[in-house]
Amino acid sequence: MTTALRDMIANPTTAELDLVARYGMQPADSRRERLFEAFSRTGLPHRRLEAWKWTDFKVALQGLDRPSTPPAQDPIPHAGALVFRFSSNGYFPPDHIPDGLNVFEKDEAQALGAAEDVPLGALAASLSGGKARPATLLLEVTSKELPRLHFQFSGEGEANFARVVVVVRSDMALTVSESHLGGAGLTSSVIEFGLQKGSTVNRAVYQRGTSEETIASTALVHLDADSHYTQTSLAFGAKVARLETRVTHQEPSAKATLNAAYLVGKDLHADFTTHVRHGANSCVTRQLTKGAVLNGGTGVFQGKFFVPRTAGQYTDADMQHKALLLEDGAVVFAKPELEIYADDVECAHGNTSGALDDDQLFYMRQRGLPEKTARALLTQAFVAEAFAEAGALEEVLRAEAEAWLAAV
Amino acid sequence: MRTMLKIENLTATVGEDDDAKTIINGLTLDVPKGEVHAIMGPNGAGKSTLSYVLTGRDGYEVTGGSATLNGEDILDMDPEERAAKGLFLSFQYPVEIPGVPVMTFVRAAMNSQRKARGEDEISAPDFIKQSREIGKALKLDAEMLKRSLNVGFSGGEKKRLEIYQMMMLEPNFLILDETDSGLDIDALKTVADGVNAMRSPDRGMLVITHYQRLLDHIQPDKVHVLSKGRIVATGGPELAHRLEKEGYEGILGEVA
Ligand SMILES: Nc1ncnc2c1ncn2[C@@H]1O[C@H](COP(=O)(O)OP(=O)(O)OP(=O)(O)O)[C@@H](O)[C@H]1O
Ligand SMILES: [Mg+2]
């Protein structure tokens, strides 16, 4: 078996061999096999793959379990939320599950659509489970009034993988938050949201890691008619961190709002990648990504809207990416893409990066603000726009961003 | 000694090394405490440049001469230091600051200045009370003060907001750069009332304008004509009337 597994990845790195070994320890399961195969096709994604040209996990990931540092603190409040914690130490669900939420902890892996497109998602789905952790955590929401669900993903010196599927039934509503906190060489999770007709989800994602960790979060979102999905992400990066979201508008008149901010310091790297398929008529997408990067930090934005000819008429979609290079030596890569085959659509995009505006800085200093304060205030205001739709968590995200800026 | 702002033989350039252009060219000017001086002059004469040089904007390099405020050399100070010393510029073109509400900004500015001077911060209730009074005097809508600074404000509203900030910050030397432009007749009166309320034996003002109209409301003690980077004529309020009638060509022809 070992040789066959070894052959799965061409020229494997040590970390990849570790992943193969870990796969070998999982119970035999044909779905799991298919998932790992999907991962093996590329192995750890690397710069020679177009979708990963700026975010190379193969080079970055030196050892899976490399303990590095403890996971980052979780700033998202646990009080009042239903917390599901996935750690390399185990799985810690809430004590009490209220009516309106059905929880299924599956020991078998579940198939993942588009597994080839999301190699690190396929990896997470194929390696999740063990240590009393479900291979797949399946949640069904049949209420509008659940407390916020919170998922925390971290390693305790050991690589950690998790797979979650959330189905929100027709006309129901859910608020959900996630923290991706590192704590190992690699932590990778994949979460899917199925929004049935007329349902709404408001999701907040927080990511923070160190320059010794790699972190991947993959989200697959399926939108039925008249559903409304709102996502607000805040990433501080890691050695490499990738937050990838793939949204499919599969029935008419769905709406997706994708907001994100990345604040990246020295030796860190944060990648936001999104893919939105307007596979039905009259769907709306609003996307705003704001970035601020310091010397030695790297921000990556890759956004794509895909509107096929056969569907996607009356699409209304807007993609904005704006980055601030706060110091010399800050790096931002951006690739906004519109691929449109339908003819009656409104799609727009904007992409800018640059330094803070001198006129604004001088105006503020003329009124007495020290330069550092003026810079912090401008950057804060610039970034905060991305948090406007985060509801109750807006203040938490804003405070995290402010604390980071104050320390700059 | 009553002299407040004292500028002597000032020269300054604008632009990067090779294309640096001398815009202020041997300018001498004294504004004593308690006085209001007007500066008039053709487009491009260097009026705004002078205001930027005095407030310390980047890109404007002083190549000679001096400028002091209350006997202190200001030219080596950072802009925020000059502000804390009480120097205020009402911008010809106020800058939009998205995402920073007017009141948040002014409170931060006020407290930064106080801190620099070793004073206590203003309390929130005191700040709000003061803001409400000044807002009312300037006929500014309370809602407006919660909006992002200058964003989406009309030209006239921006100018009124400059005066609001000035009255809130209580500077001791004011430079008004074409504060009258863009104001309707009623707003001009409101703004002038605000400026006049600031007149005091301890304050000096430099009022840059193209129009006699503003000077009807804010009576200057002296009027200077600035041309090609220097003061070429100085007189009483009657000089502004003459300029209005004869134009710059008449006056400048005479001095040249
Ligand atoms: N950053 C700059 N780079 C190059 N030239 C400049 C710059 N700023 C100002 N100037 C030039 O300096 C001269 C004086 O400009 P300034 O704005 O001071 O004139 P002003 O007297 O305020 O005119 P106005 O009445 O039109 O406001 C002009 O010729 C202008 O083009
Ligand atoms: Mg001017």
Side-chain angles (χ1 to χ4, degrees):
Chain A
M1 177 179 93
T2 324
T3 17
L5 281 173
R6 265 169 199 277
D7 291 343
M8 294 180 88
I9 301 171
N11 305 319
T13 61
T14 320
E16 285 169 333
L17 288 175
D18 282 353
L19 289 169
V20 171
R22 194 163 299 218
Y23 170 68
M25 293 182 317
Q26 298 285 351
D29 169 336
S30 63
R31 291 204 192 113
R32 205 185 277 281
E33 194 177 318
R34 237 165 289 141
L35 289 165
F36 197 76
E37 259 172 33
F39 165 73
S40 308
R41 225 156 280 180
T42 55
L44 286 167
H46 50 81
R47 64 190 62 161
R48 287 191 308 283
L49 302 167
E50 178 61 22
W52 299 84
K53 62 182 168 186
W54 295 312
T55 300
D56 190 325
F57 273 77
K58 199 173 192 120
V59 167
L61 182 56
Q62 297 295 328
L64 272 196
D65 300 332
R66 274 262 177 101
S68 63
T69 42
Q73 291 290 323
D74 190 354
I76 308 283
H78 288 198
L82 292 168
V83 179
F84 294 83
R85 210 151 66 74
F86 293 84
S87 143
S88 55
N89 284 345
Y91 160 70
F92 308 94
D95 297 333
H96 170 74
I97 302 292
D99 287 348
L101 180 66
N102 299 319
V103 177
F104 307 93
E105 292 158 0
K106 303 257 186 201
D107 288 335
E108 308 82 38
Q110 306 290 314
L112 182 71
E116 278 79 20
D117 295 329
V118 286
L120 292 177
L123 178 72
S126 67
L127 295 185
S128 61
K131 280 199 198 166
R133 292 172 297 190
T136 309
L137 173 67
L138 219 143
L139 303 176
E140 181 190 24
V141 175
T142 60
S143 164
K144 286 184 198 178
E145 269 129 28
L146 283 178
R148 171 169 52 90
L149 303 188
H150 181 61
F151 301 102
Q152 184 182 299
F153 304 101
S154 65
E156 303 290 334
E158 204 183 312
N160 188 27
F161 305 96
R163 167 93 189 269
V164 180
V165 178
V166 182
V167 176
V168 183
R169 294 293 180 206
S170 289
D171 300 318
M172 299 304 153
L174 179 69
T175 305
V176 54
S177 53
E178 283 165 39
S179 295
H180 301 263
L181 305 171
L186 172 65
T187 47
S188 178
S189 60
V190 57
I191 186 162
E192 286 166 270
F193 290 94
L195 278 72
Q196 295 192 340
K197 192 172 185 319
S199 64
T200 52
V201 166
N202 193 330
R203 173 183 184 231
V205 182
Y206 175 86
Q207 179 278 323
R208 192 155 205 162
T210 69
S211 58
E212 299 178 34
E213 300 160 355
T214 67
I215 299 175
S217 154
T218 307
L220 307 174
V221 181
H222 309 278
L223 302 179
D224 274 1
D226 303 308
S227 62
H228 188 176
Y229 176 79
T230 303
Q231 170 176 308
T232 307
S233 310
L234 170 60
F236 290 97
K239 185 173 187 183
V240 295
R242 166 104 149 196
L243 277 71
E244 178 157 350
T245 307
R246 297 178 75 90
V247 177
T248 308
H249 291 285
Q250 49 195 27
E251 297 290 342
S253 305
K255 180 169 185 191
T257 304
L258 304 173
N259 291 341
Y262 56 87
L263 300 174
V264 193
K266 194 168 168 24
D267 299 328
L268 298 173
H269 173 117
D271 170 332
F272 276 112
T273 294
T274 57
H275 184 286
V276 181
R277 183 185 165 89
H278 277 259
N281 290 347
S282 308
C283 293
V284 177
T285 300
R286 289 285 173 273
Q287 179 169 21
L288 174 67
T289 304
K290 293 281 188 104
V293 182
L294 301 177
N295 178 19
T298 304
V300 175
F301 170 76
Q302 304 186 105
K304 183 165 185 172
F305 290 165
F306 180 78
V307 188
R309 190 199 307 278
T310 48
Q313 295 294 11
Y314 324 118
T315 284
D316 173 2
D318 184 68
M319 179 197 299
Q320 299 296 329
H321 169 249
K322 296 176 188 171
L324 273 181
L325 307 170
L326 292 177
E327 298 172 337
D328 288 347
V331 176
V332 169
F333 297 111
K335 186 178 174 195
E337 270 184 291
L338 305 178
E339 198 174 329
I340 300 165
Y341 299 101
D343 44 25
D344 196 354
V345 301
E346 253 178 74
C347 279
H349 71 99
N351 177 36
T352 58
S353 58
L356 283 171
D357 185 80
D358 284 338
D359 291 346
Q360 292 179 337
L361 276 173
F362 174 66
Y363 185 87
M364 296 173 93
R365 294 176 73 187
Q366 202 301 304
R367 299 291 138 94
L369 290 176
E371 184 177 3
K372 192 169 141 53
T373 314
R375 283 181 180 279
L377 208 55
L378 282 176
T379 311
Q380 214 168 282
F382 172 84
V383 170
E385 201 190 342
F387 306 138
E389 305 292 328
L393 291 179
E394 177 178 354
E395 282 313 312
V396 175
L397 298 177
R398 185 195 282 262
E400 279 296 299
E402 281 178 21
W404 185 85
L405 287 165
V408 163
Chain B
M1 194 201 61
R2 299 292 298 165
T3 286
M4 200 170 189
L5 178 71
K6 189 173 181 61
I7 306 173
E8 264 179 320
N9 203 18
L10 188 69
T11 58
T13 59
V14 179
E16 296 295 311
D17 314 332
D18 286 352
D19 343 292
K21 256 194 328 190
T22 299
I23 306 292
I24 301 300
N25 199 2
L27 187 143
T28 295
L29 180 67
D30 261 310
V31 184
K33 266 197 176 125
E35 291 198 5
V36 173
H37 287 203
I39 292 193
M40 304 180 83
N43 295 132
K47 303 182 297 296
S48 294
T49 302
L50 174 64
S51 70
Y52 292 145
V53 170
L54 291 176
T55 49
R57 185 173 194 147
D58 273 349
Y60 294 78
E61 201 193 338
V62 175
T63 47
S66 66
T68 57
L69 185 68
N70 294 320
E72 273 187 287
D73 177 5
I74 53 170
L75 295 179
D76 280 336
M77 295 180 189
D78 282 335
E80 54 267 36
E81 246 180 301
R82 302 183 203 202
K85 296 280 180 198
L87 190 59
F88 181 96
L89 168 62
S90 169
F91 283 61
Q92 182 173 359
Y93 303 107
V95 181
E96 301 191 355
I97 317 273
V100 180
V102 177
M103 284 174 73
T104 308
F105 175 71
V106 176
R107 191 153 167 234
M110 194 183 269
N111 284 331
S112 297
Q113 288 198 19
R114 287 181 175 220
K115 197 172 159 201
R117 292 194 292 257
E119 300 165 8
D120 287 340
E121 293 200 345
I122 188 167
S123 75
D126 285 352
F127 177 83
I128 289 166
K129 184 161 165 272
Q130 189 177 337
S131 168
R132 197 172 292 146
E133 281 166 13
I134 291 170
K136 209 167 137 202
L138 291 171
K139 303 192 171 72
L140 284 169
D141 194 23
E143 279 309 303
M144 222 156 108
L145 299 178
K146 292 180 185 148
R147 279 164 54 187
S148 287
L149 189 59
N150 291 326
V151 178
F153 285 51
S154 76
E157 286 168 348
K158 285 181 184 168
K159 293 303 176 76
R160 265 191 290 164
L161 210 56
E162 292 291 281
I163 300 304
Y164 162 83
Q165 294 180 55
M166 183 183 87
M167 294 175 78
M168 289 295 289
L169 294 170
E170 301 177 300
N172 58 42
F173 195 92
L174 327 181
I175 305 171
L176 306 183
D177 190 358
E178 295 198 28
T179 298
D180 50 339
S181 68
L183 290 179
D184 66 39
I185 298 161
D186 294 344
L188 182 70
K189 176 88 172 55
T190 311
V191 161
D193 288 347
V195 174
N196 283 328
M198 299 281 292
R199 284 181 95 142
S200 101
D202 293 324
R203 260 192 199 112
M205 296 190 199
L206 207 50
V207 178
I208 298 170
T209 182
H210 285 293
Y211 304 106
Q212 167 60 35
R213 207 178 50 155
L214 177 70
L215 303 180
D216 287 341
H217 293 288
I218 307 172
Q219 280 281 324
D221 296 289
K222 278 193 177 152
V223 174
H224 306 277
V225 179
L226 194 148
S227 173
K228 297 185 179 144
R230 64 166 64 115
I231 303 294
V232 293
T234 295
E238 77 289 346
L239 179 57
H241 287 282
R242 264 188 68 204
L243 281 170
E244 192 95 336
K245 270 203 234 86
E246 300 171 26
Y248 291 114
E249 265 180 48
I251 305 270
L252 295 179
E254 194 176 289
V255 259

